[in-house]
């Protein structure tokens, strides 16, 4: 036999899962949210999304080129980062700020730490926080709806429901409007229904475990209930701000959450707790981003505590 | 039975040959019989070129306790004794025999006389049987635990969790009577509390057959198991059938269990009746490059190429030939490689399937961690292996229990980044071994931690 046979280590078959397929699934899961965002906030939202995605992908591409690293944009994770950042922003954020935020997320938070898998904090979240701190005036506020029920648009000119909630204003949109997205807020945060669709898709495709979003969102509900004693207000808390988007798409990020299933659950609960604490007692009306960032930092420790006992492993 | 669910993966089953009755292949023109089929010492050749041998004639003598004799699988003349490179990378003697095509059994073969455990143990040793399920540990050594009186349970491995392979399935379906005789034989020497057959549920015919055959033996439990990989791993099988955990560094015998592959048991039962040692194997020939998958009865020492030819050859260019299944099989570099005692399958993959996947950075997804049946963190080993300080590296690896890895392949299989995790684990184990020997040699402590 003169043909060279391939010699390699077992196993000789691999599952069909791949990094780029996982990222593609996340992008697919974000489609309803993205579409709703554009429908609700108009062409301006599309511009923000395009700016973030393009600068994230280009940023990673150029970084790899300059740093002479293997090209990684093909794994689509930069697209996810850019998209998630955009969905976390209001539609009227200046485009140049979007570009800077997106480049910060990709280059500083991800590439400089060694690229995919090596960053300790979620790039999109960190990018958003960076922008909140740098451009407080434009990023902190809320954009008005491009169209929608007039009475809702009236009610929500600039204050987001969370701000209204924290001011105990009675000018709140109805719960149904909150769920469907007829309220002001970030592009991808407002439509709970679309996020829910994405959540179901990710669970069915086994990209994420259902527990993490459930514990995060459920935790916020229960804790709000414990503090306010009012189920209606708690429901508003669930549907407000970036909670749903964060719980489904950012608290489930692989890289920056514990590797174990139990660890992921603890992570989710920690996020819920910190979110509620910030929302009720902090100076910022919104706590989702900070809670996820803080838990990102704690993640390695949670992971260490929750490692499985090896089968038959002797005690150390 | 078992308290916690172990990690597992869903591999494709592809049991195309489950119904295929094994076909005996004609005598090959020549066989090359390796002196090493298992862990332990290779046998020593006891024939010389020109010697006349028959089917079942001893050609290699066991050299030491953990060693097993080897017999001729054809009748004919010894042509030469040559050194061949085996999969483990060592050079081992092989006895090359030119067949006369007659397949005459050795006229001197006798049915072994078994009166007590000592004579039984001697017979098992003489049969040349090694664990047919995988590692090929000499069966006599394993069964000696019975003599020590510490064994309470017999677990029979009929899981056959690897894709493609159906040779054990065929044993259970066709040789259930031999399995019954085998169980009765072992029960003569050991008062087992329980005999458990662990069989994956994707073999309903085998389960039904054995339930029927053992209906009147209350001691025997047929335990259908989910069809997930790796149910057939020894420690996993023991846990899933009995709930017992074999501690790190211990043997199943230490928790009172003996595990035996069903085909090994059936062979044992036939050996005590006929005296014909282990000279042939039922082999599943399948894989993406095989035109028509089949089960074949092939003499040990036949070249893989001939077996593949016999089932009708390949349908495309061969990329890879494996001894065993795709999850744990060993890739060989030539189709001239002989059939071994432990060969239960030949998996032939097309060039497309053989191409190694491109590996990218770990995305920390945790799939390997949830898949690992031993509860390890495969992605950690790779990280530890990168530590430059040898001492620190080995301590980390040991802390992370690299020694428990059974190299089942679940972690590599599920990894979306296509990390070579199993390969890393092998390197890591070798590194730890090397470090230990070097420190032991240097007279420092730290050898047994
Ligand atoms: S090969 Fe080792 S580390 Fe990987 S899943 Fe199997 S036992 Fe776990
Ligand atoms: S399965 Fe692969 S990518 Fe996922 S944690 Fe394990 S090594 Fe990393």
């Amino acid at each position: 036999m003169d043909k060279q046979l391939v010699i390699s280590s077992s196993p000789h078959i691999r599952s069909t899962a791949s990094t780029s397929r996982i990222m593609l699934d996340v992008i697919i899961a974000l489609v309803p949210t993205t579409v709703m965002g554009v429908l609700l906030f108009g062409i301006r939202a599309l511009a923000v999304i395009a700016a973030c995605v393009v600068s994230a992908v280009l940023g990673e591409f150029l970084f790899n080129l300059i740093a002479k690293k293997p090209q990684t944009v093909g794994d689509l994770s930069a697209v996810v980062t850019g998209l998630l950042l955009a969905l976390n922003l209001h539609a009227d954020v200046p485009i140049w700020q979007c570009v800077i935020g997106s480049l910060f997320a990709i280059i500083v938070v991800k590439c400089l730490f060694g690229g995919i898998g090596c960053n300790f904090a979620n790039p999109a979240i960190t990018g958003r926080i960076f922008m909140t701190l740098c451009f407080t005036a434009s990023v902190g506020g809320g954009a008005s709806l491009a169209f929608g029920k007039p009475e809702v648009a009236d009610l929500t000119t600039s204050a987001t429901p969370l701000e209204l909630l924290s001011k105990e204003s009675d000018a709140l949109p109805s719960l149904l409007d909150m769920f469907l997205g007829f309220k002001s807020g970030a592009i991808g945060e407002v439509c709970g229904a679309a996020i829910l669709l994405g959540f179901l898709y990710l669970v069915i495709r086994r990209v994420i475990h259902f527990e993490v979003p459930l514990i995060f969102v459920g935790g916020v509900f229960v804790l709000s209930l414990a503090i306010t004693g009012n189920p209606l207000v708690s429901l508003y808390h669930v549907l407000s701000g970036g909670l749903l988007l964060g719980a489904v798409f950012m608290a489930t990020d692989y890289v920056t959450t514990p590797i174990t299933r139990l660890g992921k659950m603890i992570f989710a609960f920690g996020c819920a707790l910190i979110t509620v604490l910030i929302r009720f007692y902090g100076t910022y009306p919104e706590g989702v981003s900070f809670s996820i960032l803080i838990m990102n930092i704690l993640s390695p420790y949670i992971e260490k505590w929750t490692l499985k006992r090896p089968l038959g492993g002797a005690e150390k | 039975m078992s308290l916690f669910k172990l990690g597992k993966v869903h591999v494709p089953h592809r049991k195309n040959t489950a119904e295929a009755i094994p076909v005996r292949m004609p005598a090959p023109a020549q066989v090359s019989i390796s002196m090493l089929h298992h862990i332990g010492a290779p046998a020593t050749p006891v024939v010389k070129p020109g010697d006349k041998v028959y089917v079942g004639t001893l050609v290699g003598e066991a050299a030491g306790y953990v060693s097993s004799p080897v017999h001729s699988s054809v009748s004919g003349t010894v042509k030469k004794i040559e050194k061949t490179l085996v999969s483990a990378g060592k050079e081992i003697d092989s006895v090359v025999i030119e067949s006369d095509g007659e397949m005459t059994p050795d006229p001197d073969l006798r049915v072994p006389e078994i009166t007590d455990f000592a004579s039984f143990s001697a017979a098992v040793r003489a049969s040349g049987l090694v664990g047919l399920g995988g590692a090929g540990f000499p069966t006599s050594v394993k069964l000696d635990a019975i003599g020590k009186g510490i064994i309470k349970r017999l677990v029979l491995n009929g899981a056959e969790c690897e894709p493609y392979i159906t040779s054990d399935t065929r044993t259970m379906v066709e040789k259930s009577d031999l399995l019954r005789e085998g169980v009765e034989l072992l029960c003569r020497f050991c008062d087992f509390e329980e005999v458990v057959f662990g069989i994956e549920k994707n073999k309903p015919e085998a389960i039904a057959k054995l339930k029927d055959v053992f209906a009147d033996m209350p001691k025997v439990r047929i335990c259908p198991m989910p069809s997930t990989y790796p149910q057939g791993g020894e420690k996993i099988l023991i846990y899933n059938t009995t709930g017992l955990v074999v501690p790190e560094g211990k043997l199943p015998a230490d928790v009172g269990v003996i595990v035996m592959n069903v085909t090994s048991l059936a062979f044992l039962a036939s050996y005590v009746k006929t005296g014909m040692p282990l000279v042939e194997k039922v082999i599943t020939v399948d894989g993406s490059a095989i035109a028509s998958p089949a089960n074949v009865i092939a003499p040990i020492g036949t070249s893989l190429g001939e077996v593949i030819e016999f089932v009708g050859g390949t349908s495309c260019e061969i990329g890879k030939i494996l001894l065993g299944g795709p999850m744990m099989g060993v890739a060989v570099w030539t189709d001239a490689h002989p059939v071994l005692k432990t060969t239960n399958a030949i998996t032939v993959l097309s060039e497309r399937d053989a191409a190694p996947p491109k590996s990218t950075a770990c995305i920390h997804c945790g799939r390997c961690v949830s898949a690992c049946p031993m509860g390890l963190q495969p992605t950690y080993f790779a990280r530890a292996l990168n530590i430059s300080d040898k001492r620190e590296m080995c301590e980390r690896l040991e802390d992370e229990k690299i020694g428990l890895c059974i190299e089942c392949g679940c972690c590599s299989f599920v990894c979306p980044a296509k990390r070579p995790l199993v390969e890393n684990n092998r390197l890591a184990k070798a590194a730890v071994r090397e470090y230990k020997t070097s420190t032991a040699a240097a007279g420092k402590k730290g050898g047994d931690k």
Side-chain angles (χ1 to χ4, degrees):
Chain A
M1 184 173 209
D2 23 69
K3 211 185 138 305
Q4 195 66 41
L5 291 180
V6 178
I7 301 283
S8 64
S9 162
S10 62
H12 305 278
I13 47 172
R14 301 296 185 99
S15 65
T16 48
S18 72
T19 305
S20 51
R21 177 69 226 194
I22 290 169
M23 294 302 159
L24 184 64
D25 275 336
V26 176
I27 295 170
I28 293 174
L30 281 169
V31 166
T33 312
T34 312
V35 170
M36 275 309 283
V38 174
L39 284 181
L40 287 166
F41 296 105
I43 197 77
R44 195 59 185 39
L46 197 62
V48 169
I49 293 168
C52 287
V53 172
V54 169
S55 32
V57 174
L58 262 181
E60 179 164 317
F61 180 80
L62 291 177
F63 180 90
N64 286 335
L65 209 63
I66 293 165
K68 297 202 171 59
K69 293 193 160 205
Q71 206 40 263
T72 46
V73 288
D75 66 25
L76 299 179
S77 78
V79 178
V80 172
T81 299
L83 188 55
L84 273 177
L85 176 64
L87 295 179
N88 266 289
L89 297 173
H90 294 274
D92 50 9
V93 174
I95 296 298
W96 66 271
Q97 294 182 356
C98 296
V99 173
I100 289 183
S102 192
L103 288 178
F104 176 85
I106 277 293
I107 293 179
V108 179
V109 188
K110 185 178 162 195
C111 292
L112 285 181
F113 278 93
I116 188 167
C118 300
N119 47 300
F120 74 93
N122 185 314
I125 291 267
T126 322
R128 147 108 192 223
I129 291 175
F130 170 79
M131 290 176 75
T132 317
L133 299 177
C134 294
F135 319 118
T136 316
S138 48
V139 178
S144 8
L145 291 164
F147 71 94
K149 298 185 188 170
E151 71 271 30
V152 178
D154 279 350
L155 291 176
T156 57
T157 39
S158 72
T160 62
L162 259 191
E163 284 164 325
L164 294 176
L165 257 181
S166 65
K167 289 179 197 129
E168 297 188 11
S169 159
D170 50 11
L172 278 172
S174 78
L175 270 178
L176 183 67
D177 286 339
M178 294 271 305
F179 184 61
L180 294 177
F182 295 108
K183 62 182 176 197
S184 73
I187 300 169
E189 285 176 352
V190 292
C191 182
I195 298 172
L196 196 66
L197 262 180
F199 168 67
L200 291 177
Y201 177 79
L202 288 181
V203 170
I204 290 168
R205 292 279 308 157
R206 290 171 187 264
V207 173
I208 63 169
H209 293 306
F210 70 95
E211 307 105 22
V212 171
L214 214 66
I215 293 177
F216 194 168
V217 174
V220 168
F221 178 80
V222 171
L223 291 170
S224 309
L225 192 63
I227 293 173
T228 63
N230 184 340
L232 203 67
V233 173
S234 309
L235 263 183
Y236 270 101
H237 269 285
V238 164
L239 294 175
S240 309
L243 177 59
L244 294 181
L245 188 71
V248 174
F249 291 98
M250 285 176 294
T252 54
D253 175 35
Y254 292 148
V255 180
T256 55
T257 63
I259 207 163
T260 55
R261 207 158 168 172
L262 179 64
K264 287 190 202 318
M265 295 189 211
I266 296 174
F267 178 94
F269 184 75
C271 287
L273 187 67
I274 298 174
T275 301
V276 169
L277 288 180
I278 295 180
R279 278 188 181 180
F280 282 92
Y281 306 111
T283 43
Y284 282 94
E286 173 56 314
V288 171
S289 303
F290 280 110
S291 74
I292 295 177
L293 182 63
I294 292 169
M295 292 310 288
N296 282 167
I297 295 166
L298 292 179
S299 174
Y301 304 96
I302 302 176
E303 177 169 318
K304 231 167 149 183
W305 298 328
T306 54
L307 289 183
K308 287 191 283 182
R309 265 283 296 289
L311 183 67
E315 288 284 356
K316 283 175 210 162
Chain B
M1 203 51 155
S2 40
L3 218 48
F4 301 100
K5 281 230 157 23
L6 303 180
K8 57 179 192 288
V9 296
H10 295 273
V11 296
H13 295 299
R14 299 185 186 148
K15 303 281 189 186
N16 308 317
T17 51
E19 317 261 284
I21 293 172
V23 190
R24 186 176 298 277
M25 67 180 284
Q30 178 179 309
V31 291
S32 166
I33 299 179
S34 173
M35 292 294 111
L36 185 68
H37 300 258
H38 50 75
I39 308 167
T44 323
V46 291
V47 287
K48 48 186 190 314
D51 282 2
K52 178 93 187 101
V53 292
Y54 300 96
V55 179
T57 307
L58 185 76
V59 295
E61 209 171 47
Y65 181 59
V66 185
S67 184
S68 175
V70 183
H71 305 83
S72 172
S73 57
V74 293
S75 58
T77 321
V78 177
K79 211 169 114 191
K80 59 182 173 192
I81 293 165
E82 61 177 13
K83 292 258 180 230
T84 44
L85 206 58
V86 294
S87 341
K90 287 180 269 187
E91 287 226 307
I92 296 293
D93 281 333
S94 284
V95 174
V96 180
I97 301 165
E98 217 157 68
S99 163
D100 58 13
E102 302 289 331
M103 295 300 251
T104 324
D106 193 324
D108 291 337
L109 287 181
R110 296 283 171 269
V111 175
E113 207 176 306
I114 295 170
T115 49
D116 54 0
F117 183 73
S119 56
F120 171 64
S121 172
V124 176
R125 197 169 169 73
S127 74
L129 179 60
V130 299
L132 300 182
F137 197 66
T139 308
S140 57
V141 178
K142 196 190 268 182
L143 290 185
D144 277 352
I146 289 182
K148 296 191 192 120
I150 51 173
I151 299 302
K152 295 197 183 69
R153 286 189 178 81
L154 174 64
V155 175
L156 292 158
N157 191 349
E160 203 161 46
C161 50
E162 276 261 11
Y164 297 119
I165 310 182
T166 60
S167 47
D168 287 343
T169 309
R170 294 318 301 169
T171 299
M172 290 185 280
V173 172
E174 289 164 32
K175 300 184 182 164
S176 50
D177 295 336
L178 277 179
L179 289 176
R180 163 108 196 192
E181 288 166 29
V183 169
E184 283 170 352
L185 176 70
L186 289 177
C187 284
R188 267 169 63 190
F189 303 107
C190 185
D191 187 22
F192 297 113
E193 278 168 18
E194 186 182 46
V195 177
V196 198
F197 278 87
I199 308 170
E200 279 192 6
K201 283 182 189 143
N202 64 3
K203 306 175 205 11
E205 208 189 341
I207 294 174
K209 192 82 192 228
L210 291 184
K211 278 204 165 136
D212 187 42
V213 168
F214 288 99
D216 59 334
M217 278 182 84
K219 218 186 245 193
V220 178
R221 180 161 61 91
I222 312 295
C223 178
M225 302 186 296
S227 308
T228 52
Y229 184 85
Q231 290 287 10
E234 195 165 67
K235 290 181 174 182
I236 292 62
L237 182 76
I238 293 174
Y239 184 71
N240 284 348
T241 53
T242 68
L244 294 169
V245 174
V246 182
E248 189 179 0
K250 299 273 174 164
L251 293 172
D254 295 316
V255 292
V257 178
I258 276 195
V259 180
M260 223 175 149
N261 167 274
V262 284
T263 302
S264 300
L265 182 68
F267 164 77
L268 203 57
S270 91
Y271 176 72
V272 298
K273 289 205 295 195
T274 62
M276 176 57 78
L278 186 60
V279 294
E280 61 182 23
K281 281 305 302 282
V282 174
I283 298 170
T284 301
V285 188
D286 203 341
S288 53
I290 292 292
S292 38
N295 283 320
V296 181
I297 306 175
I300 286 164
T302 313
S303 77
L304 302 184
E306 258 176 290
V307 182
I308 295 168
E309 253 344 283
F310 175 69
V311 302
T314 51
S315 56
C316 56
E317 279 290 307
I318 299 179
K320 220 189 234 181
I321 301 181
L322 310 173
L323 287 180
M327 289 302 283
M328 287 191 78
V330 177
V332 295
W333 54 91
T334 162
D335 65 355
H337 194 286
V339 168
L340 301 175
K341 286 181 184 177
T342 46
T343 308
N344 48 10
I346 302 171
T347 306
V348 188
L349 298 180
S350 66
E351 274 181 325
R352 208 177 127 243
D353 292 338
K358 194 172 161 287
S359 146
T360 50
C362 168
I363 55 170
H364 200 252
C365 69
R367 281 175 173 74
C368 56
V369 176
S370 10
C372 178
M374 299 303 293
L376 306 173
Q377 283 76 36
T379 178
Y380 279 27
F381 297 136
R383 238 186 286 164
L385 200 56
N386 278 335
I387 301 175
S388 49
D389 182 69
K390 277 262 171 317
R391 184 198 163 98
E392 199 190 325
M393 171 180 96
C394 291
E395 277 171 8
R396 264 278 278 287
L397 286 169
E398 296 226 292
D399 262 5
E400 291 164 0
K401 304 290 178 207
I402 184 72
L404 283 175
C405 169
I406 57 170
E407 295 175 23
C408 64
C410 290
C411 48
S412 294
F413 179 80
V414 295
C415 177
K418 313 290 168 203
R419 308 287 311 154
L421 296 165
V422 180
E423 207 175 332
N424 272 327
N425 294 356
R426 290 206 186 98
L427 293 176
K429 282 184 187 174
V432 171
R433 256 198 314 270
E434 196 183 305
Y435 174 74
K436 278 187 171 174
T437 25
S438 71
T439 45
K444 285 188 209 138
K445 76 176 185 79
D448 54 340
K449 198 186 159 230

